[in-house]
Amino acid sequence: MTDPTCQSSGATVQVMTFNAWCDHPAHPDWEKRRAACASVFRETTADVVAGQEFTSRMLDDLSRDLEQYRWIGAGRDDGDRAGEFTPVFYRPDRLELSRHGTFWLAPDPSTVGLGWNARCHRTTTWAEFRDHETGRPFLFASTHFDHRGGLARTQSARLLRTHLPALSNGIPSILAGDFNCRPSSRPYRVLSEAWQDARHATRTPPRGPARTWRGWSRLGLGAARIDHVFVSPRIPVLEYRVWDTPAVRLASDHRPVTARLRL
């Protein structure tokens, strides 16, 4: 007779982080990128996605284009539909949503506010899921650090370092997003105190380009690895990939990052 525990141990979850480049007049037209953005979700076969720079219009469109997904989140400028979201997309046929919320990367995370020297409001959206296949719970969070304020990025990392463990209450956690910082940065080092970078933890060689952002020199970063997937130390990482397909190149200035995990 087969032990059901052994059967469930083979189940994996594909997680992704993807900055979709917000619907803004200065950016390539969303209608010309919409189909490519939906294709990114399909070709990566992600079960749960940390999104950045999604606007309410983009979310409304993708809700129609990607019926297999649901999403949660709040607009950063009013806690409702104004401004960019850091949404969490998930497949309800694969994951059961238990609870969720959004908080701001600011001294008072419970309300809309600028954090330290940030130029924009910044948020983290989190959700607790239960895996339909294994019954095991985990916490998943999507975040987007400020692109200008160095102090804000460091303080945001410190906030997440304390806030997410309190929310997770001991269950495994995954933190993914656009951190606007390289692995050599102080925010990255702060986060590495609590989580491991999936790129370094993967049991198979990382696939795809090393850099996740194709660059906008005015920000002073150049093309760099600034999109990361962090996981609890006890989560096995089976695969890691930075995607660079025709759909990705049309959809955004960021490359999505996926990690296949055994939870």
Side-chain angles (χ1 to χ4, degrees), residues 181-189 225 228:
C181 61
R182 295 185 177 98
S184 59
S185 68
R186 182 177 296 177
Y188 180 96
R189 293 195 299 271
R225 188 165 79 91
H228 307 292

Side-chain angles (χ1 to χ4, degrees), residues 16-78:
M16 176 169 75
T17 183
F18 181 42
N19 182 323
W21 213 2
C22 74
D23 174 25
H24 186 277
H27 297 167
D29 183 60
W30 164 242
E31 282 302 325
K32 295 179 180 177
R33 298 186 289 121
R34 173 179 170 178
C37 188
S39 292
V40 169
F41 280 74
R42 297 189 189 101
E43 65 187 17
T44 57
T45 65
D47 298 306
V48 59
V49 179
Q52 301 88 43
E53 293 199 24
F54 286 81
T55 63
S56 56
R57 176 193 178 193
M58 295 166 72
L59 290 167
D60 289 344
D61 288 343
L62 291 174
S63 294
R64 291 186 285 269
D65 298 342
L66 298 167
E67 295 183 354
Q68 68 270 44
Y69 288 94
R70 302 289 182 270
W71 66 269
I72 53 174
R76 69 186 187 184
D77 292 338
D78 67 351

